[in-house]
Amino acid sequence: MGQTNELAHRMAGKTIKFVDASGNPVAGEEIEIKQANHKFLFGCGIFDAIDVANKNVPADRLAFQEAKLDKFLDVFNAATLPFYWGTFEPEKGKPRTKELKAAAQWLKERNIAVKGHPLCWHTLTAPWLLDMNNEEILKAQFARIEREAADFNGLIDMWDVINEVVIMPIFDKCDNGITRISKDLGRIGIIKEMFAKTREYNPDATLLLNDFNTSINYEILIDGCLNAGIQIDAIGIQSHQHQGYWGREKLEEVLKRFSHFGLPIHFTENTLTSGHLMPPEIEDLNDYQLSEWPSTPEFEERQAKEVEEMYSILFKHPLVGAITTWSFSDDGAWLGAPAGFIRKDNSSKPAYEVLKKLIKDDWCTNITSKTDDNGMVAFEGFLGDYDLLCGGKKVSFRLEKNAETEQFVI
Amino acid sequence: MGQTNELAHRMAGKTIKFVDASGNPVAGEEIEIKQANHKFLFGCGIFDAIDVANKNVPADRLAFQEAKLDKFLDVFNAATLPFYWGTFEPEKGKPRTKELKAAAQWLKERNIAVKGHPLCWHTLTAPWLLDMNNEEILKAQFARIEREAADFNGLIDMWDVINEVVIMPIFDKCDNGITRISKDLGRIGIIKEMFAKTREYNPDATLLLNDFNTSINYEILIDGCLNAGIQIDAIGIQSHQHQGYWGREKLEEVLKRFSHFGLPIHFTENTLTSGHLMPPEIEDLNDYQLSEWPSTPEFEERQAKEVEEMYSILFKHPLVGAITTWSFSDDGAWLGAPAGFIRKDNSSKPAYEVLKKLIKDDWCTNITSKTDDNGMVAFEGFLGDYDLLCGGKKVSFRLEKNAETEQFVI
């Protein structure tokens, strides 16, 4: 483990003492310590969980989706589910709460931390807001947050509360209710209101501000929020790189600027494709629509290298707490881009294998050892959940910073 | 006056009643109403006032400077004086307070509103701050504000409190004490501290935030300040146009975006040259240094047209309260640019004449009338100070919005 020093912030040491029923140390006992989960969140957008949990697609499609999710579950421990207002509640008063609850529950049962995305955004918001005046829109937005934050409390305890506020009041691609109210409230005003409302209905949730803008616009906005007393639990940074990998220099520069606040940083929407690059002149990624955007062997190698470098840089940075790759699979990927870790036929790309090795091997702790004369085993491992196997018994524990010696009776 | 409707916000109506010593109306009396000063601030950077007030230059230079200031006084009613820390207090503990007080006094006596520029800025700050640690720098910056705000209270009641905060913490052209403390405090943090300190020592002053950045960076920063409870009395916008006139479209777009806050807007540093344009690839205007940058007849005509259009647009906008042209004369102009209203030999450029006509004629009220049978005169005029001449007597009054009928005894 040559990386030990660079990753010291991701690790902790722990001493475990094994005693028998009478409290006497058990020496020379073989034990196994296996990391079952990471504290760090390795996530994907995994909207497919809705199909699988609700079984609401034809059998062959369901089998395909299940196979896809199996590959996801093999590597990742976090998922983002869609709460775009326009698709979550296309008809006013008929939200897809039941379906989304089933999906969140399905993921939770498989030990996946779930984030909802987003509670407030101008794009993909409910079109029926346009029939309301601004006072009514704000009221409806509050009611929507109350409902989702309360309904999913315990299932979803992490929310992208509000998305892309830098451009929200000047967004002019199409008229929408959220841009309208953001003009009234101002950027910091609308963030303040939406955070307060979400916090009210899920006080323990991790609440994010999220943006694709990584310029000083976003820095100044965050500075403004913090000075206005808004508690941001994590800074969300989108990094859709359809037009080419940022590279180490830009990535480290962005990290440096956003580290200034001392807050956790989540890379919320990461994309590195295994296809040709989107031309640089495209400003709004949504404007680039192709009938076919193939994944090629050459570009799959490039993607694997980029994934390895980018995840390594982020995992090394002490403030980064999560990386979510936006499209787990090319099947259903945003913009039809070959943005997934797996191909349209569910086969693994090199990036999948590279990342699996990092997450499940290089950054994972699995130890076999023997208790010493005092019945003790000391080890150092990556933070997270562990299974301890000893004499046919299994116990679980969590490895955190500044862990104390624990005693197990065997 | 075809402009009356468009400029209604700059005007007010007033009724004056003339009575004799016994209180009887004086009918048929000829009266003259002459506007003596504008409420709107038409300013220039007029650092030359230091030379003239202190008579600290050779006699021929003094005469030249006095002639220059005469031309300034003929048209303008506001002046900006330099308080760059590095030149105001080049040696720690030896500020040029006396000289600047003389200049401010000289201007005040001539009915010129004076603004100090700036109290806190990374560029041209005191180099000796670099010998201090950050705590000491902040303490010195506070002490400097206390001193200037208190010393000049009553002479200078308008301050550019802090300048160019958008880039302050990322300014990397040269190490300086202010960038250092801005990194500690954050943008909004340093603004908050500097405004509070200035307000403490001159509670009635008009306090400005000032920036050349007119992008949404600055909008978000202002939004942040207001949400943090900072009272900004006017938003300062620099508009150095060495690289070409913004034009109506950009100007109106900037006005629209910054009007959103409902605060007064001051154009604090305007430049429109009468020479060739600076190439567009220059990013920091300070990087463009020429030995000679001539004013030419052709470009003087262009400048005059641009000045006329720009001042007209700004005067028409209800939230704009001041326009300051940064260099009154080409003599001593920033960057050696032909940026003045007058040439190096003190001769007037067409822009000077155009603006004089606007300020002193088109936007100025001078009326001769006769009192009616009830001894009344009603008139509508541009807001500001007036002299009323009647039967060899002169009285002064101020025309403000919602003025009540006033009575004069003649």
Side-chain angles (χ1 to χ4, degrees), chain A residues 20-301:
Chain A
D20 61 21
S22 322
N24 300 316
V26 181
E29 182 81 17
E30 187 153 299
I31 58 118
E32 244 189 302
I33 294 170
K34 291 174 121 174
Q35 185 162 10
N37 201 0
H38 279 279
K39 181 184 181 197
F40 192 96
L41 299 175
F42 294 103
C44 290
I46 202 79
F47 304 180
D48 319 75
I50 303 171
D51 285 354
V52 172
N54 292 281
K55 299 189 194 303
N56 56 4
V57 286
D60 53 342
R61 176 70 186 166
L62 183 63
F64 175 85
Q65 290 288 61
E66 284 172 344
K68 186 196 282 180
L69 288 194
D70 281 346
K71 297 200 85 152
F72 165 76
L73 294 170
D74 273 353
V75 179
F76 298 93
N77 66 347
T80 299
L81 285 180
F83 281 80
Y84 307 108
W85 201 354
T87 48
F88 182 78
E89 191 181 6
E91 192 183 332
K92 192 171 180 330
K94 296 190 176 168
R96 295 176 65 198
T97 307
K98 203 180 140 215
E99 280 171 80
L100 267 293
K101 267 195 175 175
Q105 184 68 41
W106 189 95
L107 289 161
K108 192 186 175 182
E109 283 163 6
R110 284 152 185 84
N111 218 12
I112 302 293
V114 185
K115 187 177 72 172
H117 167 89
L119 288 170
C120 181
W121 190 28
H122 46 275
T123 302
L124 298 181
T125 194
W128 41 263
L129 293 175
L130 290 170
D131 303 330
M132 301 176 168
N133 66 34
N134 286 12
E135 199 182 326
E136 292 163 342
I137 294 172
L138 182 60
K139 221 172 134 183
Q141 172 68 68
F142 280 150
R144 180 268 211 283
I145 289 183
E146 286 179 28
R147 182 184 60 198
E148 270 70 276
D151 283 351
F152 289 85
N153 192 327
L155 278 177
I156 298 183
D157 295 321
M158 184 177 290
W159 288 101
D160 289 332
V161 175
I162 184 164
N163 203 28
E164 303 180 1
V165 180
V166 168
I167 59 162
M168 188 173 274
I170 54 170
F171 180 78
D172 58 4
K173 281 217 135 189
C174 59
D175 186 17
N176 70 88
I178 304 306
T179 290
R180 288 187 193 170
I181 59 169
S182 75
K183 283 180 182 168
D184 286 355
L185 295 168
R187 291 179 177 87
I188 293 166
I190 194 166
I191 295 169
K192 194 170 194 169
E193 296 284 0
M194 299 311 144
F195 266 72
K197 191 54 75 177
T198 314
R199 186 82 65 199
E200 187 182 345
Y201 287 84
N202 190 342
D204 299 326
T206 299
L207 304 189
L208 288 91
L209 186 66
N210 193 43
D211 216 299
F212 67 86
N213 188 312
T214 58
S215 78
I216 61 169
N217 280 313
Y218 191 31
E219 277 183 81
I220 297 173
L221 183 65
I222 294 166
D223 191 24
C225 289
L226 299 178
N227 275 282
I230 302 167
Q231 185 199 321
I232 296 169
D233 298 317
I235 296 168
I237 292 177
Q238 300 178 24
S239 50
H240 295 293
Q241 295 159 83
H242 298 76
Q243 292 169 313
Y245 175 42
W246 287 359
R248 176 180 290 276
E249 198 180 346
K250 173 169 174 183
L251 187 56
E252 290 183 340
E253 184 261 339
V254 167
L255 284 169
K256 192 175 169 206
R257 285 192 291 109
F258 288 90
S259 296
H260 175 76
F261 302 105
L263 290 173
I265 296 171
H266 289 192
F267 275 67
T268 51
E269 304 183 25
N270 192 55
T271 300
L272 289 164
T273 76
S274 63
H276 69 266
L277 299 182
M278 187 188 289
E281 63 270 19
I282 305 289
E283 284 194 14
D284 183 333
L285 303 188
N286 289 295
D287 292 339
Y288 190 69
Q289 301 279 356
L290 297 183
S291 57
E292 191 64 28
W293 192 344
S295 182
T296 70
E298 180 196 349
F299 294 140
E300 287 182 0
E301 288 307 322

